[in-house]
Amino acid sequence: MKNSLGILGGGQLGMFICQAAKKYNIKTTVFSDNKNFSAKEFCDNFLIGSFTDQNLLDKFINSSSFFTIETENIPITVLRKIENKKKVFPSSYIVEIAQNRLKEKKFLNSISGVKTAKFKKIENFSNLESHIKLFGRTGILKSCEMGYDGKGQYSISDKNINNFKNNDLKGYILEEVLDFKKEISVIVCCSKKNTILYPPVENIHKNSVLRESIYPARISYKIKNEALLLAKKIATKLKLQGILAIEMFLMKDDTLLINELAPRPHNSGHWSLDFCKYSQFESLIFSIFSEKLVQPEPTDSCKMINVIGKDYEKKKKIV
Ligand code: ADP
Ligand code: MG
C-alpha cells in the first residue's frame, strides 16, 4: 500500500499521529507492546505483542510503505530490521543517538557552538564518588536508557551518596545540577523539500513531569533566534527527515544548553493542534510523504496544560 504508515507505539502521541494520517487518507497500522493503548480506536489496523517477535515484526513490515515511532524506546535492532526493507522516519541512526543519554551528549557536544550540561559516564560507585567532586559535590544521576518523566534519575549529594554503594551503576551518567532561568523547547521538522520550525515554547515541569507549555516562550528575540538556529544546526547534522523535539535550558547568562532530543512529536508541541494551521503531527505526516512543509506562523498566544491521571477524571466531570 502506497499511502500507508506503520507506527511503533500506540500511546497518546501515536493516537494523534493516526488522527493526522486519517485526515490525509493514509492508512495506519500501530504496533503496540501493550494490550490497552490510546491509538486503538484511531488506527486502521494494529498488532499487539513484543517488538522483537519476528513473526509480528514481519507482518508489521509488510503492512505499510513507511514507518515512524511515537517513542524512542524501541530496540534499535527492530528499527534496523524495518530499514532493511522500508524507510523509518526519523532514521534508526537518529533514534540510536536520542535513546541513549551518553551517545546523545557526546553527539551534541561534537557540534561546534552546541553545548550541554557537564556530564560524566558512570559505571560503578567509585566513579560516582570521584566525579561528584567535579560538580561541587552534587549531581543528577541518570540512567542512559529508557528514562522519561524523570524516571531513572536521582539527585545525589553527600547526604545520600552512600545509599548507592551497592547499586549496579552500569549504564548511568552523572550531570552537574544546572541553575537555569527557564526551560524551552523547539520542534524541527524536515521533509525532502524543506525544513520548518515550531517556535520556542516555555516549559514548566513539576517533579520532572511537564505540566505546562506556554507559547510564545517569554524570551528575547535574540534568544528565540538562537534557539531556532541551534535546532536547525542539530537537525542538519543528523540529516533529519521527520520530526525532532529539542529541549533546552536557558541559563542565567542567557546562554542556551541542550537538555535532550526526542525524535518524535513531543508533549510540548500539543498546542500546535489548536494554534497552528498544521499541527506537529500533520507536519510529521507531510515530511514522511515528502510533501512541502508549511512554516507555522501562530498569531495568538496560548498555553497547554497537561492534565494527568486523577485530574483528568475531575476535568471530565466539569465538562
Ligand atoms: P526526561 O527524559 O525524564 O525528560 P530530562 O533529562 O529531560 O529527562 O529531565 C527531566 C527534567 O529534570 C528536566 O526537564 C529538568 O526540569 C530537570 N533536569 C534534568 N537535568 C537537569 C540538570 N542537569 N540540572 C537541573 N535540572 C535538570
Ligand atoms: Mg526531558
Side-chain angles (χ1 to χ4, degrees), residues 7-18:
I7 306 161
L8 284 148
Q12 187 192 75
L13 297 171
M15 177 189 79
F16 283 126
I17 298 173
C18 289

Side-chain angles (χ1 to χ4, degrees), residues 29-226:
T29 300
V30 168
F31 191 171
S32 171
D33 60 355
N34 173 334
K35 236 173 42 198
N36 299 312
F37 57 99
S38 313
K40 209 175 206 169
E41 275 146 47
F42 298 89
C43 58
D44 294 289
N45 306 295
F46 60 81
L47 297 161
I48 298 173
S50 162
F51 296 136
T52 52
D53 178 328
Q54 192 55 52
N55 190 22
L56 276 182
L57 186 57
D58 284 339
K59 275 193 190 149
F60 183 59
I61 295 170
N62 289 329
S63 75
S64 305
S65 42
F66 296 116
F67 293 82
T68 192
I69 57 169
E70 69 121 35
T71 161
E72 54 275 31
N73 295 327
I74 306 280
I76 212 69
T77 49
V78 168
L79 295 181
R80 290 214 189 98
K81 272 186 189 152
I82 302 173
E83 275 178 341
N84 283 338
K85 292 193 177 151
K86 306 269 175 76
K87 265 193 135 182
V88 182
F89 300 87
S91 66
S92 65
Y93 164 74
I94 296 174
V95 180
E96 190 174 8
I97 291 171
Q99 72 178 201
N100 182 295
R101 292 188 198 280
L102 187 62
K103 286 183 188 165
E104 184 175 68
K105 286 222 160 42
K106 283 185 176 167
F107 162 75
L108 289 167
N109 286 290
S110 76
I111 307 172
S112 100
V114 177
K115 272 195 193 155
T116 67
K118 292 197 191 87
F119 67 98
K120 284 284 175 191
K121 177 181 175 179
I122 300 292
E123 289 193 301
N124 51 46
F125 184 69
S126 90
N127 291 156
L128 181 62
E129 266 191 316
S130 57
H131 292 323
I132 197 122
K133 291 180 193 143
L134 304 172
F135 303 146
R137 306 205 66 82
T138 58
I140 304 180
L141 185 67
K142 296 185 179 179
S143 66
C144 288
E145 293 191 357
M146 302 299 281
Y148 67 97
D149 284 351
K151 293 192 172 65
Q153 297 191 15
Y154 310 91
S155 285
I156 309 284
S157 67
D158 283 340
K159 276 193 198 139
N160 68 350
I161 190 163
N162 283 325
N163 299 346
F164 292 82
K165 221 170 207 158
N166 298 318
N167 288 32
D168 178 9
L169 296 181
K170 235 183 160 43
Y172 279 81
I173 59 166
L174 184 71
E175 274 181 42
E176 64 175 328
V177 182
L178 296 171
D179 185 17
F180 52 79
K181 254 200 308 211
K182 55 181 77 185
E183 294 187 69
I184 62 169
S185 58
V186 172
I187 294 172
V188 53
C189 189
C190 308
S191 88
K192 265 189 195 144
K193 297 211 169 82
N194 62 337
T195 291
I196 58 159
L197 292 136
Y198 286 85
V201 290
E202 184 174 331
N203 296 322
I204 316 284
H205 289 84
K206 274 189 209 146
N207 301 324
S208 298
V209 177
L210 179 69
R211 302 310 298 253
E212 289 183 4
S213 290
I214 300 162
Y215 173 79
R218 291 161 295 183
I219 52 178
S220 69
Y221 183 73
K222 185 167 170 264
I223 292 168
K224 175 188 167 183
N225 279 335
E226 264 170 40

Side-chain angles (χ1 to χ4, degrees), residues 227-243:
L228 294 173
L229 262 174
L230 280 170
K232 212 162 178 181
K233 208 179 212 182
I234 293 166
T236 306
K237 197 80 184 178
L238 287 169
K239 298 192 173 67
L240 174 71
Q241 228 184 302
I243 202 159

